[in-house]
Amino acid sequence: MQPTSQPPDVIQIGIAIVFADGNVIIGTRGSDQHLADMNEFPGGKCELNESPEECATRECSEECGISVEVIKLLHREVFEYPDRTVDLSFYLCEPIKDDEAKQLSLPFQWVELNLLESLSFPEGNQQVLKLLKQLNTD
């Protein structure tokens, strides 16, 4: 997949929604990070010449310590925060190795899908949270 071209002031973000057995992986952003102390899915800024899909799988490996397979693009949107604009690509993923998925790197953990609405996520995640809620009821 080719990197998406965006104006230089838009930050390209690849995010892995890792789903297995009715659970998803989430973490908590550090107090020194943008959107501090909020919950998040594994992901981050795309590196030079890296597609959002490649970024999502790389970030999942780096942040959680697991390898994932992308199933599909679940949602994409450009979201404007007061201090930055981000192009968010959320990929539905599944773990490649079950044993690896049991030993996540902190602060990431498996959480039941139906508990997501009780947690604090950034505004830019609200649409994907609605999609995940629909997945849970299908």
PDB file of all heavy atoms in Angstrom, residues 49-69:
ATOM      1  N   ASN A  49       7.790   7.518   4.048  1.00  0.00           N
ATOM      2  CA  ASN A  49       7.493   6.472   3.055  1.00  0.00           C
ATOM      3  C   ASN A  49       6.824   5.226   3.637  1.00  0.00           C
ATOM      4  O   ASN A  49       6.888   4.157   3.050  1.00  0.00           O
ATOM      5  CB  ASN A  49       8.750   6.072   2.277  1.00  0.00           C
ATOM      6  CG  ASN A  49       9.311   7.232   1.489  1.00  0.00           C
ATOM      7  OD1 ASN A  49       8.567   8.008   0.896  1.00  0.00           O
ATOM      8  ND2 ASN A  49      10.618   7.365   1.495  1.00  0.00           N
ATOM      9  N   GLU A  50       6.196   5.363   4.786  1.00  0.00           N
ATOM     10  CA  GLU A  50       5.490   4.250   5.417  1.00  0.00           C
ATOM     11  C   GLU A  50       3.988   4.469   5.267  1.00  0.00           C
ATOM     12  O   GLU A  50       3.486   5.561   5.526  1.00  0.00           O
ATOM     13  CB  GLU A  50       5.861   4.184   6.902  1.00  0.00           C
ATOM     14  CG  GLU A  50       5.208   3.046   7.663  1.00  0.00           C
ATOM     15  CD  GLU A  50       5.602   3.029   9.130  1.00  0.00           C
ATOM     16  OE1 GLU A  50       5.506   4.088   9.802  1.00  0.00           O
ATOM     17  OE2 GLU A  50       5.998   1.965   9.615  1.00  0.00           O
ATOM     18  N   SER A  51       3.263   3.446   4.852  1.00  0.00           N
ATOM     19  CA  SER A  51       1.814   3.559   4.740  1.00  0.00           C
ATOM     20  C   SER A  51       1.202   3.487   6.140  1.00  0.00           C
ATOM     21  O   SER A  51       1.816   2.946   7.074  1.00  0.00           O
ATOM     22  CB  SER A  51       1.251   2.431   3.876  1.00  0.00           C
ATOM     23  OG  SER A  51       1.308   1.200   4.576  1.00  0.00           O
ATOM     24  N   PRO A  52      -0.019   3.996   6.307  1.00  0.00           N
ATOM     25  CA  PRO A  52      -0.687   3.875   7.614  1.00  0.00           C
ATOM     26  C   PRO A  52      -0.863   2.414   8.050  1.00  0.00           C
ATOM     27  O   PRO A  52      -0.747   2.102   9.230  1.00  0.00           O
ATOM     28  CB  PRO A  52      -2.041   4.554   7.383  1.00  0.00           C
ATOM     29  CG  PRO A  52      -1.800   5.501   6.263  1.00  0.00           C
ATOM     30  CD  PRO A  52      -0.790   4.820   5.381  1.00  0.00           C
ATOM     31  N   GLU A  53      -1.107   1.526   7.093  1.00  0.00           N
ATOM     32  CA  GLU A  53      -1.254   0.104   7.415  1.00  0.00           C
ATOM     33  C   GLU A  53       0.054  -0.467   7.970  1.00  0.00           C
ATOM     34  O   GLU A  53       0.069  -1.164   8.987  1.00  0.00           O
ATOM     35  CB  GLU A  53      -1.686  -0.669   6.173  1.00  0.00           C
ATOM     36  CG  GLU A  53      -1.907  -2.136   6.406  1.00  0.00           C
ATOM     37  CD  GLU A  53      -2.423  -2.859   5.183  1.00  0.00           C
ATOM     38  OE1 GLU A  53      -3.068  -2.236   4.316  1.00  0.00           O
ATOM     39  OE2 GLU A  53      -2.177  -4.071   5.096  1.00  0.00           O
ATOM     40  N   GLU A  54       1.164  -0.143   7.312  1.00  0.00           N
ATOM     41  CA  GLU A  54       2.475  -0.589   7.792  1.00  0.00           C
ATOM     42  C   GLU A  54       2.771   0.005   9.162  1.00  0.00           C
ATOM     43  O   GLU A  54       3.305  -0.671  10.046  1.00  0.00           O
ATOM     44  CB  GLU A  54       3.566  -0.177   6.802  1.00  0.00           C
ATOM     45  CG  GLU A  54       3.494  -0.909   5.478  1.00  0.00           C
ATOM     46  CD  GLU A  54       4.352  -0.258   4.394  1.00  0.00           C
ATOM     47  OE1 GLU A  54       4.626   0.962   4.457  1.00  0.00           O
ATOM     48  OE2 GLU A  54       4.748  -0.986   3.468  1.00  0.00           O
ATOM     49  N   CYS A  55       2.408   1.257   9.343  1.00  0.00           N
ATOM     50  CA  CYS A  55       2.616   1.934  10.620  1.00  0.00           C
ATOM     51  C   CYS A  55       1.841   1.240  11.739  1.00  0.00           C
ATOM     52  O   CYS A  55       2.372   1.013  12.830  1.00  0.00           O
ATOM     53  CB  CYS A  55       2.192   3.397  10.500  1.00  0.00           C
ATOM     54  SG  CYS A  55       2.280   4.305  12.049  1.00  0.00           S
ATOM     55  N   ALA A  56       0.585   0.899  11.478  1.00  0.00           N
ATOM     56  CA  ALA A  56      -0.249   0.251  12.496  1.00  0.00           C
ATOM     57  C   ALA A  56       0.367  -1.062  12.970  1.00  0.00           C
ATOM     58  O   ALA A  56       0.427  -1.328  14.177  1.00  0.00           O
ATOM     59  CB  ALA A  56      -1.657   0.025  11.953  1.00  0.00           C
ATOM     60  N   THR A  57       0.857  -1.870  12.028  1.00  0.00           N
ATOM     61  CA  THR A  57       1.444  -3.155  12.425  1.00  0.00           C
ATOM     62  C   THR A  57       2.781  -2.953  13.130  1.00  0.00           C
ATOM     63  O   THR A  57       3.072  -3.635  14.110  1.00  0.00           O
ATOM     64  CB  THR A  57       1.598  -4.115  11.226  1.00  0.00           C
ATOM     65  OG1 THR A  57       2.420  -3.510  10.230  1.00  0.00           O
ATOM     66  CG2 THR A  57       0.247  -4.467  10.635  1.00  0.00           C
ATOM     67  N   ARG A  58       3.584  -1.995  12.665  1.00  0.00           N
ATOM     68  CA  ARG A  58       4.872  -1.707  13.308  1.00  0.00           C
ATOM     69  C   ARG A  58       4.651  -1.211  14.737  1.00  0.00           C
ATOM     70  O   ARG A  58       5.281  -1.671  15.688  1.00  0.00           O
ATOM     71  CB  ARG A  58       5.654  -0.665  12.510  1.00  0.00           C
ATOM     72  CG  ARG A  58       6.949  -0.213  13.215  1.00  0.00           C
ATOM     73  CD  ARG A  58       7.680   0.885  12.460  1.00  0.00           C
ATOM     74  NE  ARG A  58       6.875   2.063  12.177  1.00  0.00           N
ATOM     75  CZ  ARG A  58       6.574   3.014  13.063  1.00  0.00           C
ATOM     76  NH1 ARG A  58       6.981   2.925  14.327  1.00  0.00           N
ATOM     77  NH2 ARG A  58       5.850   4.066  12.710  1.00  0.00           N
ATOM     78  N   GLU A  59       3.739  -0.263  14.887  1.00  0.00           N
ATOM     79  CA  GLU A  59       3.472   0.308  16.216  1.00  0.00           C
ATOM     80  C   GLU A  59       2.932  -0.756  17.176  1.00  0.00           C
ATOM     81  O   GLU A  59       3.258  -0.749  18.355  1.00  0.00           O
ATOM     82  CB  GLU A  59       2.494   1.480  16.108  1.00  0.00           C
ATOM     83  CG  GLU A  59       3.088   2.721  15.486  1.00  0.00           C
ATOM     84  CD  GLU A  59       3.959   3.530  16.446  1.00  0.00           C
ATOM     85  OE1 GLU A  59       3.966   3.258  17.663  1.00  0.00           O
ATOM     86  OE2 GLU A  59       4.632   4.456  15.960  1.00  0.00           O
ATOM     87  N   CYS A  60       2.121  -1.655  16.671  1.00  0.00           N
ATOM     88  CA  CYS A  60       1.590  -2.721  17.530  1.00  0.00           C
ATOM     89  C   CYS A  60       2.729  -3.606  18.035  1.00  0.00           C
ATOM     90  O   CYS A  60       2.774  -3.961  19.209  1.00  0.00           O
ATOM     91  CB  CYS A  60       0.562  -3.543  16.749  1.00  0.00           C
ATOM     92  SG  CYS A  60      -0.540  -4.439  17.821  1.00  0.00           S
ATOM     93  N   SER A  61       3.660  -3.903  17.150  1.00  0.00           N
ATOM     94  CA  SER A  61       4.823  -4.696  17.538  1.00  0.00           C
ATOM     95  C   SER A  61       5.683  -3.945  18.556  1.00  0.00           C
ATOM     96  O   SER A  61       6.090  -4.505  19.578  1.00  0.00           O
ATOM     97  CB  SER A  61       5.646  -5.038  16.294  1.00  0.00           C
ATOM     98  OG  SER A  61       6.813  -5.717  16.650  1.00  0.00           O
ATOM     99  N   GLU A  62       5.949  -2.658  18.287  1.00  0.00           N
ATOM    100  CA  GLU A  62       6.801  -1.868  19.178  1.00  0.00           C
ATOM    101  C   GLU A  62       6.140  -1.576  20.526  1.00  0.00           C
ATOM    102  O   GLU A  62       6.779  -1.656  21.571  1.00  0.00           O
ATOM    103  CB  GLU A  62       7.167  -0.538  18.511  1.00  0.00           C
ATOM    104  CG  GLU A  62       8.110  -0.687  17.336  1.00  0.00           C
ATOM    105  CD  GLU A  62       8.383   0.614  16.602  1.00  0.00           C
ATOM    106  OE1 GLU A  62       7.907   1.689  17.028  1.00  0.00           O
ATOM    107  OE2 GLU A  62       9.076   0.564  15.579  1.00  0.00           O
ATOM    108  N   GLU A  63       4.860  -1.219  20.496  1.00  0.00           N
ATOM    109  CA  GLU A  63       4.187  -0.807  21.732  1.00  0.00           C
ATOM    110  C   GLU A  63       3.668  -1.969  22.564  1.00  0.00           C
ATOM    111  O   GLU A  63       3.686  -1.911  23.789  1.00  0.00           O
ATOM    112  CB  GLU A  63       3.009   0.125  21.403  1.00  0.00           C
ATOM    113  CG  GLU A  63       3.429   1.451  20.838  1.00  0.00           C
ATOM    114  CD  GLU A  63       2.266   2.366  20.512  1.00  0.00           C
ATOM    115  OE1 GLU A  63       1.118   1.891  20.361  1.00  0.00           O
ATOM    116  OE2 GLU A  63       2.491   3.573  20.399  1.00  0.00           O
ATOM    117  N   CYS A  64       3.172  -3.012  21.901  1.00  0.00           N
ATOM    118  CA  CYS A  64       2.531  -4.121  22.618  1.00  0.00           C
ATOM    119  C   CYS A  64       3.371  -5.389  22.654  1.00  0.00           C
ATOM    120  O   CYS A  64       3.100  -6.283  23.437  1.00  0.00           O
ATOM    121  CB  CYS A  64       1.190  -4.463  21.970  1.00  0.00           C
ATOM    122  SG  CYS A  64       0.051  -3.102  21.900  1.00  0.00           S
ATOM    123  N   GLY A  65       4.348  -5.476  21.741  1.00  0.00           N
ATOM    124  CA  GLY A  65       5.175  -6.670  21.688  1.00  0.00           C
ATOM    125  C   GLY A  65       4.528  -7.832  20.966  1.00  0.00           C
ATOM    126  O   GLY A  65       4.895  -8.983  21.194  1.00  0.00           O
ATOM    127  N   ILE A  66       3.530  -7.547  20.101  1.00  0.00           N
ATOM    128  CA  ILE A  66       2.892  -8.639  19.358  1.00  0.00           C
ATOM    129  C   ILE A  66       2.841  -8.326  17.864  1.00  0.00           C
ATOM    130  O   ILE A  66       2.837  -7.177  17.452  1.00  0.00           O
ATOM    131  CB  ILE A  66       1.466  -8.956  19.857  1.00  0.00           C
ATOM    132  CG1 ILE A  66       0.497  -7.819  19.563  1.00  0.00           C
ATOM    133  CG2 ILE A  66       1.462  -9.295  21.337  1.00  0.00           C
ATOM    134  CD1 ILE A  66      -0.955  -8.197  19.761  1.00  0.00           C
ATOM    135  N   SER A  67       2.809  -9.400  17.079  1.00  0.00           N
ATOM    136  CA  SER A  67       2.652  -9.284  15.629  1.00  0.00           C
ATOM    137  C   SER A  67       1.183  -9.438  15.295  1.00  0.00           C
ATOM    138  O   SER A  67       0.493 -10.300  15.860  1.00  0.00           O
ATOM    139  CB  SER A  67       3.434 -10.392  14.921  1.00  0.00           C
ATOM    140  OG  SER A  67       4.789 -10.333  15.280  1.00  0.00           O
ATOM    141  N   VAL A  68       0.703  -8.589  14.383  1.00  0.00           N
ATOM    142  CA  VAL A  68      -0.706  -8.646  13.989  1.00  0.00           C
ATOM    143  C   VAL A  68      -0.838  -8.713  12.475  1.00  0.00           C
ATOM    144  O   VAL A  68       0.072  -8.307  11.745  1.00  0.00           O
ATOM    145  CB  VAL A  68      -1.510  -7.433  14.521  1.00  0.00           C
ATOM    146  CG1 VAL A  68      -1.529  -7.415  16.034  1.00  0.00           C
ATOM    147  CG2 VAL A  68      -0.982  -6.130  13.960  1.00  0.00           C
ATOM    148  N   GLU A  69      -1.982  -9.206  12.051  1.00  0.00           N
ATOM    149  CA  GLU A  69      -2.339  -9.238  10.635  1.00  0.00           C
ATOM    150  C   GLU A  69      -3.495  -8.266  10.436  1.00  0.00           C
ATOM    151  O   GLU A  69      -4.474  -8.302  11.189  1.00  0.00           O
ATOM    152  CB  GLU A  69      -2.774 -10.644  10.245  1.00  0.00           C
ATOM    153  CG  GLU A  69      -3.244 -10.750   8.822  1.00  0.00           C
ATOM    154  CD  GLU A  69      -3.722 -12.153   8.473  1.00  0.00           C
ATOM    155  OE1 GLU A  69      -3.848 -13.007   9.374  1.00  0.00           O
ATOM    156  OE2 GLU A  69      -3.987 -12.378   7.289  1.00  0.00           O
TER     157      GLU A  69
END
